[in-house]
Amino acid sequence: MDAFRSAYAHGFARVAACTLPVALAQPAVNAERIAERVRALDAEGVAVAVFPELSLSGYALDDLHLQDVLLDAVDRAVVDLAEATADLAPIVAVGAPLRIGSRVFNCAVLLHRGVVLGVVPKMSLPNYREFYELRWFAEGSRAPAVIQRPHWPGADDDGELPCGPDLVVVADDVPGLAVHAEICEDMWVPVPPSSLAALAGATVLLNLSASPITVGRAEDRHLLARSASARANAVYAYAAASEGESSTDLSWDGMTMVYEMGDLLGESERFPSGPAQTIVDVDLDRLRQERMRQGSFDQNGAMIGVPGVREIHVELEPTTDDIGLRRTVDRFPFVPDDPARLALDCYEAYNIQVSGLEQRLRALTTDTYAPTIVIGVSGGLDSTHALIVAAKALERLGRPVTDILAFTMPGFATSDDTKGNAIALMEALGVTWEELDIRPVATSLLQAIGHPAGDGEPVYDVTFENVQAGLRTDLLFRIANQRGGIVLGTGDLSELALGWCTYGVGDHMSHYGVNGGIPKTLIQHLIRWVVDTDQFGGEVGRVLTAIVGQEISPELVPQTAEGALQSTEDAIGPYPLQDFTLFHVLRRGYRPSKIAFLAMHAWGDASAGAWPVGYPDEKRVAYDLATIRRWLEVFVRRFFQHQFKRSALPNGPKVVAGGSLSPRGDWRMPSDASAAAWLAELDAALPSAADGPAPR
């Protein structure tokens, strides 16, 4: 259990982008300040730390960069810093002007546990507007592959150290951690050194920057860092110079930030007084998984001919303690917490569904035939959403909404509330609707197969449930034959993942499934968005609001004597937890133990973190680790057991970036694969009794 709670045990590494006041032209002071910060970062479990460009000397020194006094002091400061950090774990990148041969180079010095690992020269030197670096520094391409520094700790027997933009520091005991450094302007050119390094295997890209601040430049930095991390499937950590730099002609904002695959993990306050840093936990598993899946990443490297890199191997000996997790883990990975982002996602998701159905109807329409839409409406979330998608599709096609043939089909456990909501919605929308009671036919079928419930006995097994679900779909298909229509499927992505649908002639099947790409946790927000944007008017909105507030139930088994309603989530787990797992299985390919670790941080404290706008207060709950483990095991078992249903899915659009389960698209898997290895991995990390009972 102790190992389970360590972030390093689950593919994370802690990265720090740091800025601090610089003492201009005082390398010894700067080395001392940096060492002090590295010691504090080591105590926090940091693996990699990047400091600003020329942080050992200061950037705004102009011609002082060429003074022997300064360069000698920088040389000594490198040794001092190495010695001061000899017992510390982080890989450190600091900036320094270095004499190499007959020229001075603007460099990043890489250190670890008391030794200098190598030196990276700046490749692109700005010499425009306020920049005059070519006056002092040579282009990095002129630097030799090795430099002579026999007095620096880490030099080989010949007194040599590696030098160049091709250096990558690999931590052998932190899988996936491969660090590359570039300097300021290198980020602003069309083909940065970091892009080539990433194609060659680097995962954590560092930028040591000075970058004086002008209005709008911070936004540009964000754009470039985000783009670099997204295109390279990498982490991009950026640290800019701060107070202490000369204000003769410029100002400095000390910006630090870390991006991971286009996601901003953190940033510090700009214009700080004193040291500032962004410390985050980066997900190396995510980078590795994405690069495995995205074949075009390697194809690009093969196309341009990526030059080789020189790997420098180190042992980090990362902590096994519980150091927390310094990154946001969304409770609802399919549902953004930010209201504006959620509204945009709902707009896109709804219109993806509507436009997909429009195209299917256009493709089927001839000069003599325009298909109607046949749909069963239960009053639950899924059928409600499918109905309002169908109504909007017909509206956009210029067809009357009466071309929707909607049926409420009460069974043995249909409640008055859901039936009433179904009827109210159909009437408010103005569709053509009928009530079709399936109980007489269901009773006859149960009697025909000799089921006790056919004679009134309270035997409510899976056959009892599936007779109802199957009959409803069978009747809809026959009605579609009779009335020239197509059956619109209502089942969602979460139900497909868990196999919570009746195979074949059941809610598993349709002519077209508009909800198959929508997870359950997103559907309620889509319906709220339809209400908030007034897609259909006030009365429809009122009914939709009532439907969103209902408990999720298949209503196939009668209520108990105490009036308890059959609960879907009691059987297959809370949809928020199961959708959390679905995202990390489908999009990320994570191990069950890592999913449990992430869920613990996302769901362990209901008062921590953000909740999606509009999410009901009474549903803002926490889950302990035993509960998380229990339902994760249920997910794994059901996900494998029910692949055969997903192998025979009807057509329907992919909607969310988290993926789909279509056998023609995102997900292909043999129906007879075993879950044993996944269950064993979970049990090895979290035995069933962890933190309390977790029944199988």
Side-chain angles (χ1 to χ4, degrees), residues 373 375 377 387-388 390-392 394-395 399-407 421-434 535-541 543-544:
I373 296 175
I375 183 172
V377 182
L387 180 59
I388 57 180
K392 184 60 67 173
L394 288 186
E395 175 187 308
R399 291 179 53 182
V401 74
T402 51
D403 282 354
I404 297 174
L405 310 182
F407 295 85
N421 283 335
I423 293 172
L425 179 61
M426 293 185 293
E427 289 186 339
L429 285 169
V431 304
T432 302
W433 72 273
E434 298 177 32
Q535 297 290 313
F536 296 103
E539 180 58 22
V540 173
V543 179
L544 292 176

Side-chain angles (χ1 to χ4, degrees), residues 3 10 57 60 71 105 122 132 138 239 246 254 301 312 376 455 461 521 566 583 614 639 648 671 675:
H10 297 284
S57 61
L71 297 172
F105 290 80
K122 186 173 184 178
Y132 298 93
S246 173
I312 303 169
D455 296 322
D461 57 9
T521 49
Q566 180 189 16
F583 177 87
F639 189 77
S671 298

Side-chain angles (χ1 to χ4, degrees), residues 165-519:
D166 58 342
L167 303 185
V168 174
V169 181
V170 177
D172 290 332
D173 53 353
V174 181
L177 181 59
V179 181
H180 178 267
E182 64 186 9
I183 303 173
C184 201
E185 185 78 6
D186 288 338
M187 176 175 74
W188 296 73
V189 297
V191 184
S194 58
S195 295
L196 300 177
L199 288 170
T203 54
V204 175
L205 313 176
L206 309 179
N207 188 289
L208 301 81
S209 178
S211 189
I213 186 62
T214 55
V215 173
R217 185 168 288 174
E219 185 178 356
D220 292 340
R221 295 176 192 148
H222 273 294
L223 174 65
L224 292 169
R226 181 184 183 191
S227 174
S229 71
R231 287 183 291 104
N233 289 337
V235 168
Y236 202 91
Y238 176 94
S242 187
E243 62 178 314
E245 291 287 359
S246 173
S247 62
T248 300
D249 290 298
L250 300 168
S251 189
W252 316 83
D253 66 336
M255 182 178 191
T256 72
M257 59 182 167
V258 181
Y259 276 90
E260 177 186 287
M261 285 183 57
D263 296 332
L264 179 62
L265 297 188
E267 61 180 322
S268 61
E269 183 179 353
R270 294 163 59 212
F271 304 100
S273 176
Q277 58 272 320
T278 298
I279 303 176
V280 296
D281 291 331
V282 302
D283 191 343
L284 301 172
D285 283 347
R286 180 188 183 193
L287 309 181
R288 179 177 49 78
Q289 276 277 341
E290 197 65 23
R291 290 182 180 185
M292 282 197 305
R293 295 165 191 272
Q294 188 182 335
S296 54
F297 184 84
D298 283 339
Q299 291 167 16
N300 182 236
M303 177 186 70
I304 66 175
V306 178
V309 295
R310 288 177 286 169
E311 293 185 350
I312 303 169
H313 291 262
V314 300
E315 296 281 337
L316 275 186
E317 301 175 14
T319 179
T320 58
D321 295 340
D322 179 1
I323 57 173
L325 189 65
R326 294 202 179 186
R327 65 186 284 128
T328 298
V329 182
D330 291 326
R331 290 183 176 90
F332 297 92
F334 292 110
V335 182
D337 299 327
D338 177 65
R341 180 74 238 185
L342 176 57
L344 177 60
D345 282 11
C346 288
Y347 161 80
E348 290 183 338
Y350 184 65
N351 282 283
I352 287 169
Q353 293 177 276
V354 170
S355 63
L357 181 55
E358 283 183 79
Q359 174 57 25
R360 181 50 52 99
L361 293 172
R362 277 194 295 265
L364 293 171
T365 300
T366 68
D367 292 340
T368 58
Y369 171 68
T372 58
I373 296 175
V374 177
I375 183 172
V377 182
S378 67
L381 288 175
D382 291 349
S383 64
T384 292
H385 187 62
L387 180 59
I388 57 180
V389 167
K392 184 60 67 173
L394 288 186
E395 175 187 308
R396 284 170 41 165
L397 288 170
R399 291 179 53 182
V401 74
T402 51
D403 282 354
I404 297 174
L405 310 182
F407 295 85
T408 181
M409 308 171 81
F412 298 116
T414 302
S415 68
D416 291 339
D417 287 343
T418 56
K419 177 182 171 182
N421 283 335
I423 293 172
L425 179 61
M426 293 185 293
E427 289 186 339
L429 285 169
V431 304
T432 302
W433 72 273
E434 298 177 32
E435 180 177 338
L436 183 56
D437 191 337
I438 68 167
R439 286 172 293 185
V441 181
T443 299
S444 297
L445 180 52
L446 289 166
Q447 289 173 340
I449 64 174
H451 193 282
D455 296 322
E457 295 185 37
V459 178
Y460 305 136
D461 57 9
V462 66
T463 303
F464 177 81
E465 295 187 37
N466 283 349
V467 159
Q468 298 171 76
L471 268 176
R472 286 180 172 128
T473 305
D474 195 5
L475 289 168
L476 291 174
F477 270 105
R478 303 297 74 79
I479 291 169
N481 294 155
Q482 179 190 47
R483 307 187 192 183
I486 62 169
V487 176
L488 191 65
T490 63
D492 64 55
L493 183 66
S494 309
E495 292 176 343
L496 291 172
L498 293 159
W500 193 247
C501 53
T502 302
Y503 183 71
V505 184
D507 54 329
H508 160 264
M509 189 49 61
S510 64
H511 288 113
Y512 194 73
V514 289
N515 285 346
I518 300 286

